[in-house]
Amino acid sequence: YFVCLQAAAIASAAVAGIILFSTDTYFQETPERKFLQVFLLFVVVCFLAHLFLFFVCPFAIQHQIRSQMVIFQSPHTYVMTWLYVVCFGTWIGFSSAFPK
């Protein structure tokens, strides 16, 4: 099963790499366009990875993934995710701000 998950990630990254190199001349003009390019590539990779996981992988993997999607129905998932990101980001910020 691990090979299928790796294949989905590699295929998504390959498509994003092709898009990156084919649109590189348009997005290099300003920093805003470069940021837009990175954001759009992130969205494309996420979308393709989900498509590959739900439609290309074997049924056993699809069933396991769908059974884990229950966590997204709980609002506590989003609160704990936000809390983790805020706390970790603060810790990293303080560690870089204090003198060594």
Side-chain angles (χ1 to χ4, degrees), residues 5-82:
L5 298 176
Q6 286 286 340
I10 290 170
S12 300
V15 170
I18 292 169
I19 293 171
L20 174 69
F21 290 120
S22 65
T23 61
D24 200 35
T25 56
Y26 174 75
F27 286 106
Q28 287 295 333
E29 295 177 9
T30 63
E32 293 84 12
R33 284 188 177 180
K34 190 65 177 171
F35 178 76
L36 178 65
Q37 180 188 26
V38 170
F39 179 74
L40 290 175
L41 286 175
F42 178 74
V43 170
V44 167
V45 167
C46 290
F47 181 72
L48 287 175
H50 281 85
L51 279 179
F52 287 137
L53 286 176
F54 285 120
F55 297 113
V56 177
C57 288
F59 181 73
I61 294 177
Q62 291 177 9
H63 179 68
Q64 290 176 354
I65 291 171
R66 287 195 174 113
S67 68
Q68 293 175 2
M69 292 293 172
V70 176
I71 66 166
F72 295 112
Q73 295 174 355
S74 172
H76 299 288
T77 302
Y78 300 103
V79 172
M80 292 306 294
T81 302
W82 177 80

